[in-house]
Amino acid sequence: MRARERLAAERAARKRAEARRRLLAPIAAVTAVLAIVVALAAVKLSAGPAHLVASETPASAAVVRQVSVPAAVLASVDPGQAVTSLEPVKTSGPPLTIGGKPAIVFVSEESCPFCAAERWSVAVALSHFGTLSHLGTTSSSATDVYPNTATLSFRTARYQSAELTLRTTELADNAGRPLQPQTALDTRLIDAFDVPPYVNSADQSGAVPFLDIANKYVLAGAQYNPQVLAGLSAAQIASQLTNPSSRVAQAIDGSAQVIITAIDQVLHGKPTLRAAGAGA
């Protein structure tokens, strides 16, 4: 509970900062528009329209390979009490499906350090049920808490699975600039499940990262403290994922275990990971 309360307080602080940023954004936008108008009046622009440059780079083959952690390793990791569990959805109804398969929906921002932490666990968990490709690597904002946390990006990711459908949205790049628009599905799920009682208070409603597992389990926030990843590159983080004694593996793989168990509940009605592993 202490870990949950600590992360909840950090999420609330970050959300307040984000609200302030969004309040100031229109003022900055007006200033920028005026500057552009002046520039256009003085200079004839012959180039085509500018395009936003993505803040991520393609993940290396080694990182992509290492994110697929063997089930035996996952089962041997002891996350202790540092990992937050998912929240079961309290309303009844059929699982959320897309294309006839249970759907996993993940909404995040590349600038968000909590998103940076959670993205690793989501990737490890999804690799248990299919194959991720076209992953990127990036880092969280340099001006937020836990600055420059190395992470993956799902902006261009593709997922092949016989059992699941994945939908991801990266709302902003690591400078906080708009990247991918929030979809109608994102909005519907966030309005339904990124609110109390699934978050601690109304002040935390709508925060990212947000994870929905077929409308049966949800998570608003990170499962572990991003401080675990401080000072590490994406390559260094990925290289530790198969070392059960590593604090990085205990946080990321331990969180992935929780996600995998929830997905197994949706797919099979019972968890399968630990039954195949160390007998927990």
Side-chain angles (χ1 to χ4, degrees):
M1 288 300 295
R2 287 193 299 272
R4 178 186 286 271
E5 290 168 358
R6 182 187 66 247
L7 292 177
E10 292 167 343
R11 289 197 300 270
R14 184 179 183 279
K15 190 180 178 187
R16 288 192 293 271
E18 179 68 11
R20 291 193 297 272
R21 183 182 68 79
R22 289 175 178 171
L23 181 63
L24 294 173
I27 299 173
V30 170
T31 302
V33 168
L34 290 174
I36 291 171
V37 170
V38 171
L40 288 175
V43 180
K44 181 179 180 180
L45 299 179
S46 58
H51 295 280
L52 182 64
V53 177
S55 60
E56 78 274 358
T57 57
S60 70
V63 167
V64 175
R65 182 179 68 254
Q66 290 163 337
V67 163
S68 185
V69 180
V73 173
L74 291 173
S76 67
V77 170
D78 181 9
Q81 297 181 349
V83 171
T84 300
S85 61
L86 308 186
E87 293 288 338
V89 170
K90 303 182 186 302
T91 56
S92 60
L96 172 67
T97 61
I98 298 175
K101 295 180 286 188
I104 310 297
V105 178
F106 185 68
V107 184
S108 63
E109 297 179 2
E110 292 183 354
S111 58
C112 163
F114 301 100
C115 302
E118 191 61 29
R119 216 176 277 111
W120 286 106
S121 300
V122 171
V124 170
L126 290 174
S127 296
H128 191 75
F129 300 94
T131 302
L132 279 165
S133 62
H134 295 80
L135 289 168
T137 54
T138 186
S139 60
S140 67
S141 170
T143 58
D144 207 334
V145 293
Y146 310 113
N148 301 311
T149 300
T151 186
L152 304 169
S153 172
F154 291 152
R155 185 181 70 87
T156 60
R158 298 177 186 175
Y159 186 57
Q160 292 184 320
S161 172
E163 299 178 283
L164 300 171
T165 298
L166 175 65
R167 292 289 183 269
T168 66
T169 305
E170 297 285 9
L171 296 173
D173 70 5
N174 65 0
R177 298 170 297 192
L179 196 56
Q180 294 179 314
Q182 185 168 300
T183 68
L185 175 61
D186 296 339
T187 300
R188 177 163 62 87
L189 298 181
I190 288 171
D191 288 348
F193 303 123
D194 199 356
V195 295
Y198 304 106
V199 299
N200 290 341
S201 68
D203 183 58
Q204 297 172 29
S205 297
V208 293
F210 173 76
L211 174 67
D212 182 300
I213 299 176
N215 282 5
K216 293 300 180 183
Y217 296 91
V218 294
L219 173 73
Q223 291 176 276
Y224 64 94
N225 194 322
Q227 182 65 36
V228 173
L229 309 180
L232 299 176
S233 67
Q236 289 170 324
I237 293 168
S239 70
Q240 295 187 44
L241 294 176
T242 55
N243 178 5
S245 64
S246 161
R247 290 179 66 240
V248 168
Q250 290 166 0
I252 294 175
D253 294 348
S255 297
Q257 284 184 39
V258 174
I259 298 172
I260 290 169
T261 298
I263 294 174
D264 278 330
Q265 289 280 6
V266 171
L267 293 175
H268 311 296
K270 60 181 180 179
T272 60
L273 175 64
R274 282 198 172 274

